[in-house]
Amino acid sequence: MDDENSDITLQPLPSDRIKLNAGGELFETTVSTLQSAGPESLLAALSNRPSPDPIFIDRDPEIFSVLLSLLRTNRLPSTALRLFTKQELLEESSYYGIESLLKSSTSPPPLNGVDASLTTTITPYSHGVVSSFSVYDVDGSLLIAHGGQISGYDSNLTHSTTIRTHLNDLTSIKRVLPEIAAVGSENSGGIHFYSLASGRRVGSCDWTDKSDPRIYKARVTAIADSADSVFAAFDCYHKENCVLTIDKSTLKVSSEFGRQTGSSTKTTVAGKLTYLPQSGVVLGSSVTSSAFGYAGYVRLWDPRSGSIVWETNEPGSGRSSRYGDSFADVAVDSEEEIIFKVCSKSGDLAVADLRKLGQDPWVYLVDKNPSLRNNGSGGGNNSVMHCYRKQVFVGRNGELEVWSRVVEREGNTERECRFSEESYRRNYVDKVEDSERGVINKIEGGGDRLFVSREGIEGIESMKRGVLPKEKACGRVVVLCSSDLNKMTDIISVKHCSVENLRPWGLWSPLPRYWPPLHQFSSLYFESEQPCSCISGDYVSNALQSPIFVGMILLTPYLRVKKWSTLEEDTLRTGVQKLGMGNWKVILNTYRDIFEKRTEVDLKDKWRNMTRY
Amino acid sequence: MPPSVDSKLPLNQINLKTPNPNTNIVTIDVGGQLFQTTKQTLDLAGPKSLFSKILDSCDQNPNPNNPYVPFIDRDPELFSILLSLLRTGHLPSKSKAFDFEDLIHESQFYGIETLLVDSHSNPSQFEAFNLEKSLLLPLSGRDSPSAISTTPVGSVHVAHGSKITSFDWSLHKKSTILTQFTAVDSLLALSPTIAAAGATDFSGLQLIDLEKGFVRETLNWENVTRSSSTVQAIGSSREYLFTSFESGRRNSNSIMAYDLQGGFRPVTEIGHYEIFGANLDSAIPATKLNWVSSYNLLMASGSHSGPSGVQGNIKFWDIRSGNVVWEMKEKVDCFADVTVSDNLSAVYKVGVNSGELFFVDLRNIGNDNSWVCLGDSGKVINGKKEGFGSRIETRGNQVFCSKGGDLELWSEVLIDSLGKGERGLEDRVVRKNYVGRAKDMGGNRITCLGFGGNKMFLTRKDQQFIEVWQSSVRGF
């Protein structure tokens, strides 16, 4: 605090002070404050104009005062988001030329998996089941492929655009240029480039081979990109596949590598492609599962020469220390140059140093958290992985966990061995209720947010760090009960029920918009300021995936036989003393507020139990 | 945001109003709006604040014709609220229009955050009888809280699984770090950024930087066999940090005192016991350390559950001499939890078998006095462990005691006619209440209990959040 104060000159020179008139309201600030907006901005330009009179800006004064606070303190006043929408703030800040400042002040803190929690669920307006999505690492904006549509969301996760492609079911998507999305489908051929601004297809590539006429209608299974090229894995109908390099400036195929023929697991097309900028290689992996278990490969190609730098096949030779426990998914941390895999049978995680690859480079991580040891999830089936910010996020069926490194010392000294079997710690990101929403099929991080999509469930869940509920976290919830679960309009009673550890974001936001009674419901939430205590774990089951049943959680009233509290026991004792044993009805009515949900029979039974010993 | 009428005055009017150069009135220009206040008001902000600099610069420019008006390039509306805080000591109701984070951030700029803390989370605002559950602080992940540590300003640190989550005094900011422990069993916040953490299955006491999440220092104790040592309890006084260690082979234990001011230098070792043979009593390490500041003694208590029931001991140590001043052996109805109150000069325990509250007077320490039961003294002690898992803490003149999911509050009723002064604690009238309303009763078992600022924090078994209980605060 002291250091902060000493920087402030209390008496700026008279010439340093500057008066502004925004829409008729006077503001006074300093030239240095205005210049912190950056040399290109309108405000910095205004500050260079010496004038004794206040400089007039014909804009709204209220929104200007918010942006001036942003310039002064480098943080957006929290009242700003209450008064204005993000869109308004963004438009106004771009008028003054300070949108980068606004973006940096509203962007979430660095993502830490052990401190992340669900904030919103983003659901496209129509055809909400997400088939694929991609986060643009530059600014954290999001592209969602759902059905044949692409929906774009900006870094604040506000909807920016939706375009319809000629394909009917997109299965891979990647923003390869700020304005261009590359899409592919596993059911029709080619990679296609769509301009997000105009919604037009601006380019398209197919895999053709003049010498081989069978190469025809090849479909795209995975897309990755480097600074100047796009890599796309193509698969042909009769088991021939390769990776094509496409030049970003021309959107034309420049080279082909990794071509393979055959139908064995070692030669299937790569289902996942990652470009590693530090070493300039492309990592491709393929996993297939059959009645005989999982099988697959990890391969590193040098795209310039097209040769394989390193590869591993699982189940490999008997030399591997975990023979028969082949991987279910692979992820790579391109920053740290580490590969992670999750084993299909044991569910264990293994790491390999990309800088020191060999015959069996895997180090199997040991999980010491006793509360996670017997989670009964049954190995690594249905596992997906993603690396972000030096952490690995693993989705096992519906459960989301994070493996993060323990900081040992302040200066992280580069040791000879970069990790051991104990260098990562496993923790859950989600709660038990969250995991019951559906099987996780894709995890991706970007812009310090983590996005998770679930099989057959509408929308994408977004998580960020350090979220606390605003104001009162607890509130009474009105539960709507229905006699017939299939007829949602038939609401028979509105009942008060208290809710415990309720997380409003994740729980309420998947509600469909076209459902009026529930809309009314969510607006009733937080109505009362009473503290609360319960919601049962009776939640959406995987089988019930229609939006109606997402709402079902709310419609399940909380019923549980409550344990007798000491207060209730004491009251019962006093009641019997005063009113006599047997007068259960009188006792119950006298202390109605204490025996809230008890009946006369309950009292009688309890008394018998209490006096038994 | 239109400026409020009272705070905005034309400059020339102020010039007319200040004919006296020795006037007490100070005019400040904040972001284009003029505010007037007195030097006394600004003095309240303390010597480290920005306002003391303003006052200094005002004194350096005593020009009666052209009074010096310092300019601060900040938001005037937020300033007007902080000025009200300076004037009255509490926040005006119009501050509700702003988010609390904004006020905190602005008060940090002016260097008056302590005033804001005082107005919002002052320990004197704690009213034991008017507590209500006001907030649930969520913890990420699925681990239940294992230890909490609170600070006088009302911030709270909680260990859950291998993580430590800290909430600042306003409970608006949360941060989580990862530790090397699988579960933290003892946690103590030493400063806003450093916490001491230990576990019964991990060697050494770690001093953890809560901002960056790394271990600053590891404090270890070794016995003759040079085996590792686990941490059983942490306590602190103004000067020392106390740690109860047990060797990894569980054949010796000791309490170490470290210097809190001088870089955690080991100062002294007290109560080093080596176990030879089957002397069960010496094998019990201290599992709770309480500093009794009015007597300058350290209370170390530990218990052991064996085939013959639960046995334990409570020892009072003189740090300077390293001697036991007083010791109580617990053979019958041993404590489930024990605590000491400076205000009430008494030690309180919950009997593990009876589940009742007992106390013993500290004032005639050393005499052969024994436990006095405050609850149902005629209860038959059988093999049951009714008090198992109970927690007991004192706060001011009250004793809080958890039983299962309920929380009891024991407080003294002051009665005039009982005579004055000389009466012992036995004659006092102490009565029991339950904390909370009927719907708060009968929850999961309370696992941790702590007090900080004007709040009470508690955690329950299998629940991944902290309950915050407080009485209604003025303003927010």
Side-chain angles (χ1 to χ4, degrees):
Chain A
M1 249 177 270
D2 302 335
D3 317 338
E4 211 178 316
N5 282 348
S6 56
D7 294 345
I8 297 149
T9 44
L10 271 177
Q11 194 188 15
L13 301 169
S15 62
D16 191 30
R17 275 160 69 169
I18 188 164
K19 281 186 179 151
L20 298 166
N21 178 352
E25 203 174 305
L26 283 180
F27 295 90
E28 194 168 1
T29 183
T30 58
V31 171
S32 58
T33 300
L34 289 186
Q35 270 167 356
S36 67
E40 300 290 300
S41 73
L42 174 73
L43 290 173
L46 286 177
S47 68
N48 293 331
R49 202 185 295 171
S51 151
D53 298 324
I55 302 164
F56 185 74
I57 311 168
D58 191 14
R59 298 300 279 194
D60 179 61
E62 297 201 14
I63 205 161
F64 178 73
S65 107
V66 166
L67 294 177
L68 187 60
S69 287
L70 172 68
L71 281 177
R72 282 168 174 157
T73 60
N74 250 328
R75 66 191 284 279
L76 196 67
S78 25
T79 43
L81 289 172
R82 222 184 286 163
L83 298 169
F84 310 103
T85 62
K86 282 175 181 168
Q87 193 65 30
E88 278 177 305
L89 287 171
L90 199 68
E91 281 166 9
E92 201 70 6
S93 65
S94 65
Y95 174 81
Y96 294 110
I98 53 168
E99 66 267 44
S100 60
L101 210 63
L102 181 80
K103 272 182 188 157
S104 68
S105 69
T106 50
S107 64
L111 186 76
N112 180 355
V114 297
D115 197 9
S117 39
L118 194 61
T119 47
T120 45
T121 302
I122 308 155
T123 315
Y125 292 109
S126 65
H127 201 107
V129 178
V130 174
S131 52
S132 182
F133 65 95
S134 120
V135 190
Y136 194 43
D137 217 24
V138 179
D139 61 354
S141 60
L142 178 71
L143 281 183
I144 300 179
H146 50 112
Q149 300 173 41
I150 305 172
S151 283
Y153 294 83
D154 67 8
S155 50
N156 285 321
L157 302 185
T158 39
H159 178 256
S160 56
T161 178
T162 295
I163 56 175
R164 167 75 213 197
T165 63
H166 72 284
L167 298 166
N168 278 332
D169 46 347
L170 303 170
T171 49
S172 34
I173 185 164
K174 182 100 192 169
R175 181 177 283 202
V176 291
L177 286 166
E179 277 308 312
I180 290 179
V183 291
S185 166
E186 286 179 7
N187 296 312
S188 48
I191 181 170
H192 309 276
F193 299 94
Y194 274 86
S195 157
L196 294 170
S198 65
R200 290 171 55 156
R201 191 173 84 171
V202 291
S204 179
C205 294
D206 271 308
W207 181 27
T208 48
D209 188 347
K210 286 201 180 85
S211 60
D212 190 350
R214 294 174 309 161
I215 307 293
Y216 165 66
K217 275 193 179 172
R219 297 144 300 159
V220 169
T221 54
I223 308 172
D225 72 327
S226 69
D228 53 0
S229 359
V230 179
F231 305 99
F234 278 81
D235 186 26
C236 230
Y237 275 107
H238 55 273
K239 301 296 169 199
E240 188 129 344
N241 61 71
C242 78
V243 181
L244 290 185
T245 312
I246 299 154
D247 191 74
K248 270 191 183 176
S249 50
T250 58
L251 298 181
K252 292 270 185 292
V253 177
S254 57
S255 65
E256 173 197 322
F257 62 88
R259 184 167 176 167
Q260 42 194 1
T261 317
S263 56
S264 80
T265 53
K266 284 182 190 177
T267 55
T268 39
V269 66
K272 218 171 176 180
L273 279 183
T274 319
Y275 177 73
L276 302 171
Q278 283 185 33
S279 42
V281 295
V282 174
L283 182 137
S285 64
S286 159
V287 180
T288 47
S289 67
S290 65
F292 305 104
Y294 279 76
Y297 65 81
V298 183
R299 228 158 263 176
L300 285 175
W301 289 285
D302 187 344
R304 286 150 295 197
S305 65
S307 59
I308 293 172
V309 181
W310 176 80
E311 72 175 314
T312 181
N313 297 297
E314 287 196 5
S317 60
R319 222 171 304 166
S320 155
S321 59
R322 295 282 184 106
Y323 181 70
D325 194 9
S326 62
F327 59 84
D329 198 19
V330 171
V332 60
D333 187 340
S334 51
E335 228 175 296
E336 295 270 288
E337 305 228 289
I338 300 174
I339 316 179
F340 294 86
K341 70 168 184 181
V342 56
C343 298
S344 58
K345 278 195 185 136
S346 59
D348 286 351
L349 243 68
V351 278
D353 193 342
L354 262 179
R355 297 174 199 161
K356 272 187 241 163
L357 290 170
Q359 274 291 338
D360 188 13
W362 301 108
V363 174
Y364 291 86
L365 297 176
V366 175
D367 170 31
K368 290 209 293 188
N369 193 338
S371 65
L372 292 167
R373 209 165 278 156
N374 296 317
N375 57 358
S377 59
N381 290 346
N382 267 333
S383 294
V384 285
M385 295 174 91
H386 181 73
C387 293
Y388 186 63
R389 295 241 172 240
K390 302 183 181 177
Q391 302 153 77
V392 202
F393 295 89
V394 184
R396 294 177 199 267
N397 289 318
E399 300 187 326
L400 182 62
E401 61 190 39
V402 59
W403 292 73
S404 26
R405 278 191 102 133
V406 185
V407 187
E408 276 164 20
R409 233 160 269 106
E410 188 163 19
N412 205 355
T413 47
E414 190 77 23
R415 276 161 302 166
E416 208 165 284
C417 179
R418 292 204 292 152
F419 41 75
S420 68
E421 56 187 21
E422 286 183 6
S423 27
Y424 285 84
R425 257 305 139 76
R426 174 183 180 192
N427 279 289
Y428 277 116
V429 182
D430 59 353
K431 305 270 184 229
V432 182
E433 311 90 86
D434 298 330
S435 65
E436 286 158 8
R437 266 199 298 274
V439 175
I440 295 174
N441 59 10
K442 189 170 170 139
I443 307 171
E444 204 167 312
D448 284 310
R449 285 190 173 91
L450 190 76
F451 300 95
V452 168
S453 71
R454 293 176 194 267
E455 202 76 62
I457 298 287
E458 285 199 331
I460 291 182
E461 293 164 14
S462 150
M463 286 165 225
K464 66 175 183 182
R465 183 181 175 182
V467 184
L468 265 184
K470 293 271 173 191
E471 309 299 315
K472 294 226 168 183
C474 30
R476 281 217 159 179
V477 167
V478 179
V479 173
L480 308 168
C481 299
S482 165
S483 59
D484 181 2
L485 297 182
N486 297 318
K487 264 170 71 188
M488 278 304 140
T489 45
D490 188 10
I491 289 155
I492 52 164
S493 70
V494 177
K495 186 178 173 189
H496 277 275
C497 158
S498 45
V499 176
E500 181 169 279
N501 194 18
L502 185 76
R503 289 166 323 122
W505 313 284
L507 219 55
W508 311 122
S509 43
L511 297 181
R513 284 164 183 265
Y514 46 84
W515 203 11
L518 274 186
H519 218 64
Q520 183 191 345
F521 176 92
S522 57
S523 66
L524 283 167
Y525 177 61
F526 285 146
E527 192 181 58
S528 148
E529 292 199 339
Q530 286 295 315
C532 52
S533 56
C534 76
I535 209 173
S536 76
D538 214 346
Y539 215 78
V540 195
S541 78
N542 291 343
L544 311 172
Q545 287 163 350
S546 72
I548 301 290
F549 282 99
V550 176
M552 273 296 302
I553 343 148
L554 317 169
L555 307 174
T556 314
Y558 179 70
L559 279 178
R560 202 191 81 188
V561 182
K562 247 182 118 184
K563 220 185 133 197
W564 281 74
S565 69
T566 333
L567 176 73
E568 282 181 310
E569 288 179 8
D570 286 358
T571 317
L572 184 60
R573 239 175 253 131
T574 347
V576 171
Q577 264 172 25
K578 275 194 191 158
L579 304 163
M581 201 179 86
N583 292 331
W584 304 123
K585 192 173 182 178
V586 186
I587 296 174
L588 184 68
N589 288 334
T590 318
Y591 304 104
R592 192 75 256 189
D593 49 333
I594 289 165
F595 302 120
E596 228 176 334
K597 284 173 192 156
R598 308 280 178 211
T599 61
E600 294 162 46
V601 182
D602 287 344
L603 295 193
K604 189 190 84 187
D605 291 350
K606 181 65 193 173
W607 182 253
R608 196 185 56 212
N609 287 336
M610 277 167 69
T611 48
R612 182 175 283 172
Y613 306 106
Chain B
M1 278 174 258
S4 46
V5 183
D6 55 343
S7 58
K8 200 181 182 186
L9 291 165
L11 193 62
N12 52 2
Q13 205 176 325
I14 286 168
N15 285 343
L16 292 173
K17 268 188 173 177
T18 52
N20 183 3
N22 296 325
T23 180
N24 246 338
I25 298 169
V26 184
T27 308
I28 309 172
D29 183 344
V30 180
Q33 281 188 32
L34 293 179
F35 293 89
Q36 285 198 314
T37 184
T38 58
K39 286 182 179 170
Q40 284 87 341
T41 302
L42 291 186
D43 264 339
L44 291 171
K48 281 185 175 173
S49 73
L50 185 68
F51 299 117
S52 73
K53 290 190 182 171
I54 291 177
L55 286 177
D56 290 348
S57 57
C58 283
D59 292 341
Q60 286 161 13
N61 300 287
N63 186 349
N65 299 322
N66 183 18
Y68 165 68
V69 179
F71 176 73
I72 306 174
D73 188 19
R74 297 298 275 198
D75 184 65
E77 304 236 337
L78 283 170
F79 177 78
S80 78
I81 283 162
L82 294 179
L83 189 59
S84 295
L85 175 69
L86 274 179
R87 284 173 178 148
T88 61
H90 50 80
L91 288 171
S93 61
K94 70 170 173 178
S95 64
K96 280 179 187 159
F98 296 91
D99 269 13
F100 208 61
E101 291 114 287
D102 289 349
L103 290 174
I104 295 169
H105 195 262
E106 206 69 2
S107 69
Q108 282 168 349
F109 172 82
Y110 293 112
I112 55 166
E113 197 187 1
T114 48
L115 281 173
L116 197 61
V117 174
D118 258 7
S119 76
H120 193 69
S121 179
N122 197 319
S124 67
Q125 294 162 343
F126 183 83
E127 294 165 43
F129 292 103
N130 305 330
L131 289 175
E132 70 171 348
K133 203 196 293 184
S134 63
L135 197 66
L136 301 179
L137 301 175
L139 302 171
S140 32
R142 296 191 195 172
D143 301 295
S144 300
S146 56
I148 66 172
S149 170
T150 54
T151 62
V153 293
S155 57
V156 59
H157 307 275
V158 55
H160 51 119
S162 54
K163 296 153 284 186
I164 298 176
T165 298
S166 310
F167 295 90
D168 75 338
W169 65 267
S170 65
L171 305 180
H172 279 76
K173 220 161 84 187
K174 170 191 165 197
S175 67
T176 303
I177 58 150
L178 197 65
T179 66
Q180 295 169 332
F181 301 97
T182 44
V184 177
D185 295 313
S186 347
L187 181 71
L188 186 72
L190 301 175
S191 77
T193 52
I194 302 178
T200 52
D201 61 349
F202 197 90
S203 181
L205 178 80
Q206 293 195 341
L207 300 167
I208 298 174
D209 187 303
L210 292 171
E211 279 175 343
K212 299 185 187 111
F214 65 89
V215 179
R216 287 205 171 196
E217 208 168 331
T218 305
L219 303 177
N220 256 312
W221 171 79
E222 280 181 334
N223 67 350
V224 279
T225 57
R226 302 262 159 210
S227 60
S228 60
S229 56
T230 62
V231 174
Q232 301 291 321
I234 313 174
S236 74
S237 71
R238 202 175 286 266
E239 294 140 33
Y240 304 116
L241 169 72
F242 303 106
T243 310
S244 163
F245 286 108
E246 186 182 31
S247 66
R249 294 179 186 171
R250 310 192 67 181
N251 57 357
S252 61
N253 59 66
S254 172
I255 299 169
M256 290 293 292
Y258 297 98
D259 195 351
L260 264 183
Q261 263 87 35
F264 305 108
R265 186 172 47 82
V267 180
T268 174
E269 180 176 359
I270 47 178
H272 182 152
Y273 290 104
E274 294 280 341
I275 288 104
F276 301 106
N279 184 3
L280 192 65
D281 206 31
S282 63
I284 305 173
T287 50
K288 195 164 182 178
L289 298 171
N290 296 73
W291 178 250
V292 199
S293 57
S294 51
Y295 291 82
N296 262 323
L297 292 174
L298 178 72
M299 185 180 92
S301 52
S303 65
H304 172 88
S305 178
S308 53
V310 185
Q311 290 189 18
N313 57 54
I314 303 168
K315 289 174 186 147
F316 286 84
W317 294 92
D318 184 353
I319 298 301
R320 270 161 290 186
S321 68
N323 291 331
V324 178
V325 177
W326 187 36
E327 181 175 0
M328 298 172 84
K329 287 216 161 65
E330 296 271 295
K331 302 277 188 206
V332 182
D333 198 11
C334 174
F335 59 87
D337 194 16
V338 61
T339 192
V340 62
S341 167
D342 260 328
N343 279 22
L344 302 167
S345 295
V347 183
Y348 292 87
K349 77 159 185 181
V350 195
V352 70
N353 296 118
S354 63
E356 297 293 328
L357 187 72
F358 295 84
F359 79 92
V360 67
D361 203 332
L362 263 182
R363 281 175 293 193
N364 34 12
I365 191 169
N367 297 357
D368 240 1
N369 49 8
S370 60
W371 294 107
V372 181
C373 184
L374 282 171
D376 180 9
S377 56
K379 207 167 191 176
V380 185
I381 294 174
N382 48 20
K384 278 186 180 176
K385 286 185 183 173
E386 286 197 14
F388 178 75
S390 287
R391 288 276 172 275
I392 185 164
E393 290 291 334
T394 64
R395 169 72 169 73
N397 286 326
Q398 275 86 26
V399 182
F400 289 83
C401 170
S402 79
K403 279 188 194 148
D406 296 340
L407 191 62
E408 293 172 1
L409 160 64
W410 293 79
S411 56
E412 187 183 356
V413 185
L414 297 172
I415 296 173
D416 259 358
S417 59
L418 269 176
K420 31 206 143 308
E422 290 303 302
R423 69 202 150 89
L425 216 62
E426 290 81 358
D427 307 326
R428 291 182 178 179
V429 184
V430 182
R431 289 288 175 266
K432 176 172 92 169
N433 297 285
Y434 285 103
V435 180
R437 300 182 177 128
K439 63 181 163 46
D440 300 322
M441 300 290 164
N444 286 2
R445 184 164 62 80
I446 294 169
T447 49
C448 303
L449 187 62
F451 299 90
N454 56 351
K455 300 173 192 77
M456 175 174 84
F457 302 95
L458 59 88
T459 62
R460 293 177 191 270
K461 190 172 175 279
D462 295 335
Q463 293 188 341
Q464 288 98 38
F465 53 84
I466 311 173
E467 288 178 13
V468 181
W469 293 66
Q470 68 186 105
S471 26
S472 61
V473 189
R474 187 173 180 163
F476 266 77

